[in-house]
Amino acid sequence: TMSSSSSSSSTTKRTPGQQSVLAQQQLWTVLWIVAAFMSVFGFFNGPVVLFSFVFTALFFIPSLFLSVFASSDTAELGEDAVVAASEGGFLSSLATLIIMVIIYYAVLFVLQFKYPAARNVLYKSQIFPMGVLIMAFSRDFKWKKPVPNPAAIKDLPASAKQTRRIVFIRHGESEWNEVFNRGMKGFAGRLSSAIIKELQLLTTKDSVFVDASLCEEGMEQGKELREFLSSKQLDCADPQIIECLRGDDDQLVQDSVIVASNLRRASGTAALGLRQRLHRTGEQVYLLSCLQEISRNVDANAISRPKEVPDLHVINHHMWEGFDPEKLFNAEYNEGQKSLLSSNGYKRMRDFCEWTFEQSKGTVIVGGGHSFYFRAFFQSFMDLDHEFIGKTNIMHNSAVVSFTLERGEKDGRVYYRIDPDVKVLYKGFKAAKK
C-alpha cells in the first residue's frame, strides 16, 4: 500500500522545469488578455494588439511543446513518472489556452452591447475564419456546365421577349490588389505592411484583407472615370448611355437605376465614378449581394452585416461636402456575407437577372462590379458558340461596357441572353493575370 501511495505521489509531482514553463504560460496569458482588452476599450491602438499576439507566439504557444521536454531534470523520478509529468504539463498548457480563449470571447460578448470596438473585434473573429473556410470549401465556381444555351431564345419574336439596357463598370484597384497583384518585387514588404495595418484596424469596421477598400490608385481611377464622363468631347459607341451616366438628361435618369456590389471597392467606385450624377439627382445606389464577386479569395467576403452600409470613409475626401454614405447607399438588398454552401456564382448571376427584370426601369447601371463576375456573366448569358473577348479576358479597373439583356421563355424554362452587340465605352478588356 505504501509503495502504491508513493508511486501515485510521484506521478503528480512537477519538476522545476515544468513549474517554470507553467508560470511563464500563466504570466503571458494574463498580459495577452490585458493588452487585448485595453485595446478594445480604446486605451491603446492596434500596435498593442500586434505586440500581444507576438508575445503569445513567442512565449505561450512554444511552451505547449516545451512542457513536454521540460522534464530533463527528473533523473530522480522513474521513467513512467517522467512521461506522466510531461503529459500533465502539456495538458495543463492546453487547458490554459482553452480557458484563455473562452474568457476572451465571453468578455467580448458582454462588452459588444456597449462598446462598438468590442463588437467589431467579435465580428472579425467570425469573418476571418469564415474567409479561410470559403477559400477551402467555396462552391462559388461549382455549377453545372455547360449552362442552358441562351441562344434558345435568339429567334423569338421581339414581342415575346423583355429587354433591359445594362451597364457594367468594374471597380478601381483595391488594397488587396495593391498587395497581391503587383508581382513578386517588393511583395514581402507590401504584405508585412498590410498585416501591420490589419492589426491596427482590428477594433474598426475596416480591413485590408477582408472586403478590401479602394487604394489610392483605385480612387484615382474612379476620379479619372468621372472626368471621362464629364468631358463634353465624347466620341464613344453609346453616347446615350454616357448622358445617362453623367445625369444630364432627366428622362434617362428617371428610367434608370444605379446598383453596386456590396463589397466596398465596388460601392466606392460607384460613388466616385458617378459622383456628378449622384450629387445632382440625390438618388440612392442599391447594394446588391447578388453582385458579390465570384472568388475563393478572402477579399471577396463582405465585411458589412445584412442591411448595413459598409465603411467607406476612405473616399470621403473625394466626395462633395456633407457626403454621407448612409444616405447615398440603400442596403435593403445587402445580405452580408455570402453563404459557404448554398450559394454559387451562377445562382447569384441569375438572381441579378431576375432582380433586373423585376424593376420598372429600362436601364440598370452596375456602378461597381467585379472582373471574374463580369467574365462569368458573359460566358453564361451570351450564346455559347459566340466568340467574345469578355468571355476570356477581364475588364480593366474602372472600365465601362454596355449591352442589352433579353429575357424570354421557351419550353417552360426562363432564359436570359446578352445581345452580342456589346459596346465598349471606356478602357475595355485585358488578359487576366495567372
Side-chain angles (χ1 to χ4, degrees):
T1 304
M2 290 181 60
S3 175
S4 175
S5 175
S6 174
S7 175
S8 174
S9 174
S10 64
T11 58
T12 60
K13 180 180 178 181
R14 284 199 179 94
T15 68
Q18 288 177 325
Q19 291 173 352
S20 175
V21 168
L22 183 59
Q24 184 185 96
Q25 293 168 358
Q26 293 170 342
L27 172 62
W28 289 111
T29 297
V30 171
L31 291 179
W32 189 88
I33 292 175
V34 169
F37 280 115
M38 290 187 79
S39 69
V40 169
F41 277 115
F43 292 109
F44 293 123
N45 55 17
V48 172
V49 182
L50 169 64
F51 289 124
S52 66
F53 276 114
V54 169
F55 286 148
T56 301
L58 290 180
F59 294 96
F60 187 84
I61 295 177
S63 69
L64 288 174
F65 302 97
L66 287 174
S67 62
V68 177
F69 305 103
S71 54
S72 58
D73 54 353
T74 59
E76 73 280 6
L77 300 178
E79 183 178 347
D80 291 342
V82 171
V83 172
S86 298
E87 290 176 350
F90 180 81
L91 292 175
S92 176
S93 301
L94 186 60
T96 303
L97 177 61
I98 293 172
I99 292 171
M100 179 184 74
V101 172
I102 292 174
I103 293 174
Y104 184 74
Y105 282 104
V107 176
L108 273 180
F109 180 79
V110 174
L111 293 180
Q112 70 169 325
F113 297 104
K114 184 175 182 181
Y115 297 97
R119 186 163 57 251
N120 293 335
V121 174
L122 188 62
Y123 183 61
K124 284 186 176 181
S125 71
Q126 299 169 18
I127 62 173
F128 274 104
M130 179 57 71
V132 174
L133 288 174
I134 286 177
M135 287 185 71
F137 303 109
S138 172
R139 301 181 60 83
D140 249 18
F141 291 99
K142 295 182 179 180
W143 63 81
K144 186 177 180 181
K145 299 169 185 171
V147 298
N149 194 343
I153 62 170
K154 177 180 179 180
D155 297 325
L156 288 181
S159 59
K161 294 187 287 189
Q162 296 173 275
T163 62
R164 294 288 187 272
R165 195 68 181 160
I166 307 295
V167 180
F168 277 174
I169 301 175
R170 188 192 168 194
H171 67 77
E173 184 176 66
S174 70
E175 291 186 302
W176 172 280
N177 299 144
E178 188 176 45
V179 174
F180 292 99
N181 293 3
R182 292 191 176 181
M184 293 306 298
K185 184 177 180 180
F187 172 71
R190 296 195 306 272
L191 181 60
S192 299
S193 298
I195 292 173
I196 292 173
K197 183 176 180 181
E198 186 67 57
L199 291 168
Q200 291 174 328
L201 297 173
L202 183 63
T203 59
T204 71
K205 292 183 178 180
D206 199 359
S207 174
V208 178
F209 296 112
V210 177
D211 194 357
S213 59
L214 292 170
C215 64
E216 286 298 328
E217 182 169 341
M219 287 184 276
E220 186 63 28
Q221 290 165 344
K223 180 182 176 182
E224 290 170 356
L225 171 59
R226 181 173 72 247
E227 291 173 349
F228 168 79
L229 295 176
S230 299
S231 172
K232 298 298 182 182
Q233 303 298 323
L234 290 174
D235 181 17
C236 69
D238 199 340
Q240 189 177 59
I241 287 294
I242 293 295
E243 287 186 45
C244 182
L245 296 176
R246 200 163 50 207
D248 289 346
D249 189 308
D250 288 339
Q251 185 174 351
L252 293 176
V253 169
Q254 291 291 330
D255 192 37
S256 61
V257 60
I258 302 175
V259 301
S261 160
N262 59 339
L263 299 184
R264 296 187 299 159
R265 56 192 179 276
S267 49
T269 299
L272 290 170
L274 304 178
R275 190 184 77 170
Q276 178 177 327
R277 167 172 165 164
L278 294 170
H279 191 203
R280 189 178 84 80
T281 63
E283 65 190 296
Q284 287 191 305
V285 177
Y286 290 87
L287 300 177
L288 305 184
S289 289
C290 58
L291 288 169
Q292 197 168 338
E293 176 65 307
I294 302 173
S295 174
R296 293 177 177 269
N297 290 343
V298 175
D299 72 321
N301 298 298
I303 201 169
S304 57
R305 298 173 178 85
K307 312 294 184 182
E308 181 181 71
V309 174
D311 178 1
L312 293 170
H313 73 276
V314 296
I315 68 170
N316 284 348
H317 63 288
H318 292 285
M319 301 300 289
W320 58 82
E321 185 177 352
F323 166 71
D324 183 358
E326 296 289 337
K327 295 180 179 178
L328 176 61
F329 292 97
N330 187 320
E332 176 185 357
Y333 302 103
N334 180 11
E335 299 173 1
Q337 177 61 292
K338 59 187 176 185
S339 171
L340 175 62
L341 300 177
S342 63
S343 177
N344 63 50
Y346 185 70
K347 181 179 183 300
R348 293 202 298 278
M349 290 187 293
R350 290 277 304 190
D351 289 344
F352 169 70
C353 291
E354 290 173 10
W355 188 92
T356 293
F357 284 94
E358 288 171 358
Q359 312 308 306
S360 59
K361 311 290 186 178
T363 300
V364 176
I365 302 165
V366 181
H370 305 278
S371 57
F372 294 152
Y373 186 103
F374 289 160
R375 184 175 65 181
F377 199 90
F378 288 123
Q379 291 170 347
S380 300
F381 300 114
M382 190 171 277
D383 297 350
L384 299 185
D385 61 351
H386 180 74
E387 294 185 4
F388 175 61
I389 188 173
K391 288 185 173 184
T392 54
N393 291 12
I394 62 173
M395 292 171 61
H396 283 278
N397 290 114
S398 72
V400 185
V401 301
S402 65
F403 57 89
T404 297
L405 182 66
E406 302 172 344
R407 181 189 186 278
E409 294 187 35
K410 188 173 182 180
D411 300 328
R413 179 191 291 270
V414 175
Y415 290 87
Y416 298 98
R417 176 179 180 267
I418 297 174
D419 186 287
D421 187 21
V422 178
K423 309 289 188 183
V424 176
L425 308 183
Y426 181 60
K427 287 187 175 180
F429 298 87
K430 65 176 182 177
K433 292 183 179 180
K434 303 269 186 189

